[in-house]
Structure formats: structure tokens, C-alpha cells
Amino acid sequence: MVRFLLRRAILAAMVTLTVLVVAFALTRLSGDLAVSIAGPNATAEDVATIRKNYGLDRPLPMQFLEWAANAASGDFGRSYLYRAPVAGLIKDRLPITIGLGLSGLTIALLTAIPLGILSAMREGSLLDRAIGLIALIGQAMPSFWLGLVLIIGFGLKLQWLPISGVDTWDGYILPGIVLAFSAIPALLRLTRAGMIEALASDYIRTARAKGLSTASVVLKHALRNASMPVVSVAAVQLGFMLGGSIVIETVFALHGVGYLAWESISKNDFPVVQAVVLLLAMIYVGLTLIADMMNAVLDPRLRAG
Amino acid sequence: MKPVLEIANLRVGFSDGTAAVRGISLNVLPGETHCLVGESGCGKSVTALSVMSLLGRGAKRSAEVMRFHDRDLTRMSDREMARLRGDKMAMIFQEPMTSLNPAYTVGSQMAEVLERHRHVSRAQGLDRAAALLGHVGITAPGMRLSQYPHQLSGGLRQRVMIAMALMCEPELLIADEPTTALDVTVQAQILRLLQGLQRQLGLALLLITHDLGIVARMAQRVSVMYAGQIVESATAEALFAAPAHPYTQGLLNCVPIPGKTPRDQPLGSIPGVVPRIGAGFIGCAFRDRCTHATTACSGDIPRRSVAQHHETLCTMAPS
Ligand SMILES: Nc1ncnc2c1ncn2[C@@H]1O[C@H](COP(=O)(O)OP(=O)(O)OP(=O)(O)O)[C@@H](O)[C@H]1O
Ligand SMILES: [Mg+2]
């Protein structure tokens, strides 16, 4: 167990380091930063001043080391656009994004797992096919469109839920549903496939031969074994939701990290871009690590190696 | 003596048209070992699973009589059947390597049975599990309880399966080829274990095997199965002394039975394989492989009595 986790942690550290380098390199490769910061009307003198002030005239490795050292202590520099510390900008927006991602994932899991189990238990039935069809439709639906439909339906017509902002907790519901829709099909198919395999296995026959209740056979014995791939993919999906919720943040007027990322990329606010890329990479690495740990808890065979 | 398990005219068909079991009847008496023998694919496992109501959704089962003591198994709901399984009747399987859940400890999987049927605490369940592991010859049972299946050898896993089947002191144990997947040395140990347990606990044992050597060691009664039918049933003694059905004779010629086959007798073999039988098949399913086959073998075959408690399904006059 310890060795397994240690190996994963080392891997995670290496990935983080690589991302650090790539994040830095990307912003430097996309043209002369001083020129883009200075704007189209700047003179050559202005550009030279900016280059000097921002330290862009020093050798790249030096710039990198300085940035990395600062980043390690939580200082990501100042945003050119907001003229404020990047760390603060992100800190303000992170709770919204995390709240959004977690509500999306929760809704997705609460939908996909029961439906996947039902589908597997009635494999080939009308119910199974209906569930499959719903998943397919869900996958084909563009999220901005779904978002608007939900806003019109539940927000404007029925007036059940707020349509923008997250001043109260229920503001997370509609955007959460939209986010969940993108994750449900994959999670549902994985749950279904895993459960079909598990339910056909010899140990399930044993569990039934022991006279265990259907609930125990399905939820304790089969689901436990079917849940490992679901955990791994759920972690990746949460990563997607945290990093790729720009469309949803726009539709629902939420100012999360996704929105910040989009803004900073389009305005060439490179300290923010670097910080966001690094943050998302760390989140991915962290989520994968958590998924690995959960799988090690779920499957004793993983703990041995 | 009233049988523990009584089956008359059991039929099992699958949705693909296979008639896996075609009207078999057999009784298992208290404290008796009844062996169900036959080649691979003749329907032994399907018979066992249909007694336990463990057949999959594609299977259709019907029986004139299927009783466990006085309880009519054909009329039981899934829920009632689940109450009986693991409690009064238990089963161990052909595949010890895959029959335990990889995600739970041995102790948890064993204790669960007692918790379910006797509503005891986990601690009490584990106590009984440890005692039974000791009983089936596992040393350091306390340590094994906290181990996972992948940490155990095949022989150990089958012992765990046996111990698990005994958790609620069943009256009927169905053992489906419990030693087929194991090393020869381990096979002998497991058989000895089953024999001992059966004697001590007075279990009725329905032992499924394709190995006549095992039959000779274990059985009081034998039912020989071929293509979904029981072609001969007799006491073990009578069967080995005077096999009536050409299939049984063929089987006996294929293997040396210690103390029963003369040393200088060459071993035979039965050419061909078990045919796959669809619904509506008439006549003897063995006729294509039988050296005594006549035209009568294509018609309906009556079940005849060769001697007391010795029946066969063959047109051939009893010799
Ligand atoms: N789920 C199923 N669907 C269709 N046919 C099946 C199914 N299960 C078993 N059969 C068929 O029923 C017949 C009897 O199978 P069964 O497993 O009972 O054989 P067996 O006597 O136990 O053989 P073995 O010694 O190999 O275990 C075989 O022809 C098999 O192909
Ligand atoms: Mg079998």
C-alpha cells in the first residue's frame, strides 16, 4: 500500500514539474510578450521599458527559476489586466469553480450509477435500451443549448431556481445539471458494463448461493468490483468540469476559474494563464492520485504491489 | 427414510433451444452421498443450479416434483428461496479460483452468511468462521480470516468455500466437481475432508463429478447422466458390479477403479462426443456412440428396473 502510493506520488511530482516547464514555455513561445503587453500603439522605447520592468530581458532559465520559486511560495506575480496579484484573483474564483464541479459530479454520479445498475440488471430489456438512448441524447446535446433550455424552463417559466450567480446554494443546481450531462453518458456506460461483467461472475453466483438479499448481491458484491473504472473516470471528469466549464460559466454568469482562463488567454495576460494552467494540472494530478488511493481501498489486489 | 431432496421429471431448457436437462428424477437421502456422474456437457451443473434456483434468466425450469424435505421448491418465490440457500441447503462450485469475491476478506464473506440467516453480530460470525476454517483443516484460521482470496491457493480457496457452505449447518450440500480444478494431491485432501464432514454432520451430499474413481470412493448411490437424462441409477456397489447401460459400461472401461478393475484389463474409450440435444429429440441420445444400437433405439425408450433400486434407460435386455 505504502509503496503503491509512494510510486504514484513520485509520478505525480514528475508530472507537476513537467507541467510547470510546459506552462512557462507556452507563454514564452506565443510571441514577444513585451510587444503584446505594450499594445499596438506602443513605440519601440515603450516595449524596451516594459521588457526591462517585467524582467523579460533576462535569460529564459533565470526567468523560469524565478517564476517557479515564486510559484512554489504561492506568488504567481501580478495580472496585467486586473493589475492585482494573480493568487488573489484565483482564490476569489476557485470556490465557484469547485462548487460547480462538485455539484456537477454529484449530480452525474447520482444519476449515472443507479441508471447503470438498473440497465445492467435488466440487460437487453426495453428499460436498458431506453436508458441507453437517453444517455446518447444527453451526449449529443450542446451544453450551452441545454443551459438555455433549463434557464427558460426552470428559471423563467417555473421560477423554481435562480438562473444566474451563486449567491445561494441552489444557484449551483442548474449549471450542475448541465455539467453533469456531459459526464453522465461515459459514467453510465462504464457502470453498466462493469456491472454486467460483475453480475455474470462466479463470485456473484456464490453470493446468491449464500442466500444474500438482492440488495446485498448487487450493491455490496457486484458494485464494489464494478466501481473501480467508474472512480478513475469520475476523477478525470471532475478535472474536465473544473477546467472546462467556461461555456457554462458564461451562460450562467458565474465568474469562476474557467472564465478567468478564457479572459486571460484572449487578453494575453500571461501570469494568469501560467497560474491557471499550473493550477488545473495540479488539480488533475491530485484527482488522479485520489482516484488511485480510492481504487487501492476498493481492490485489495492493488495494495499488494 | 424420507429423502432430503426429491426431484421428479426435472426439465431445463435454454432460450437458444438447448434442452440441457430432459426429465431427470433423483432422490438424496439424509446422510447419504449421491453421486451424479457424466461427461462434460451432460447437464450436471445445470441440474445442480436448478435445484438452487441459480440458473440465469435465459433458462426455463419445470419439474413434476422438486422438494426439499416438505417444501415445494417449484412454488417458492425468489425471496423464500434465498432464505433457504446458504442456510438449509448450500452449494460449492467447480471453480474455486473465481468463486470468492476478490474485494472482501475471507472472514467477511464467511461471517456474512451467518449474519444473513441467523442475525448474529459480525464478531459471532467471525468466531464461527474461524472455528469452521479450523475444522476444514486450515491452520492459523484467525490469520486467514483477514486475508483476501488472492492471497490463498486454489486448495485453500476450495476449503474456504466448503467452510462457508457449512456456516449454517446445511442439511443438503451440493458439491459441483469440487476437486476438478485442483492438483491431484489437493483433490484427495478435499475428498477426505468432505467424507469426514459428511459422516460427522450427517449431511446429505449430492456430489457431482465426471470421475468414476471419486464415485467409487465416495458414493452410496449413483446416477449416471447422459445428454440431460439419467441413463442409469443404482447403488454404488451394484453399478460397479453389474453396469446395465452401455454408456455406464463404456465409462467403467475408460478408467481403472482401484480394487474393481482387474490389473491386466486394457482400458477402453468411448468414441465420439456428447451430442447437443434440442427440444423434441426422441430416442436414446447415446445410440450414435453405442455398439449395441438397434432400430429400437430411435423410438421411445422405457425406463426399466434391472434389480431392486437399479434402473436403466436402455432397450437392451438386462443382462
Ligand atoms: N446459460 C446457458 N445457455 C445455454 N446453454 C447452456 C447454458 N448453460 C449450460 N448450457 C448448456 O447445457 C448443457 C449442460 O451444461 P452443464 O454445465 O450442466 O454441463 P456439465 O455436465 O456440468 O459439464 P462439465 O463437466 O463440463 O461441468 C451444455 O450443453 C451447455 O452448453
Ligand atoms: Mg459442470
Side-chain angles (χ1 to χ4, degrees), chain A residues 120-125 201-214 216 219-222 224-225 228 297-304, chain B residues 49 52-55 57 82-83 85-87 89-91 93-95 98-104 108-110 112-113 116-117 122 148 150 161 164:
Chain A
M121 287 175 72
R122 302 247 192 293
E123 190 196 351
S125 70
S201 68
D202 289 342
Y203 59 80
I204 288 302
R205 193 182 52 190
T206 306
R208 295 180 59 215
K210 293 196 287 190
L212 302 181
S213 64
T214 309
S216 171
L219 299 178
K220 181 177 172 192
H221 285 273
R224 169 88 175 247
N225 286 286
M228 279 171 263
V297 170
L298 285 171
D299 187 353
R301 285 166 295 187
L302 285 178
R303 277 173 252 160
Chain B
L49 293 173
M52 298 288 285
S53 287
L54 287 175
L55 289 166
R57 267 188 297 142
R83 293 256 162 236
R85 281 196 299 255
D87 185 358
M89 52 200 249
M91 180 164 176
F93 297 97
Q94 206 166 339
E95 303 85 5
T98 49
S99 288
L100 288 164
N101 192 328
Y104 293 99
S108 131
Q109 294 187 59
M110 289 183 71
E112 188 176 43
V113 187
R116 160 79 170 162
H117 296 290
R122 173 51 55 112
Y148 289 91
H150 74 267
M161 288 296 293
M164 195 156 79

Side-chain angles (χ1 to χ4, degrees), chain A residues 274-292:
Chain A
Q274 279 175 343
V276 170
V277 168
L278 187 62
L279 174 75
L280 290 178
M282 302 268 286
I283 286 176
Y284 261 102
V285 169
L287 286 175
T288 319
L289 201 60
I290 290 173
D292 284 342

Side-chain angles (χ1 to χ4, degrees), chain B residues 14 16 18 20 39-46 94 177 210 276:
Chain B
F14 288 101
D16 64 358
T18 315
E39 276 170 286
S40 192
C42 69
K44 306 182 297 288
S45 296
V46 172
Q94 206 166 339
E177 309 202 33
H210 57 246
R276 226 182 146 82

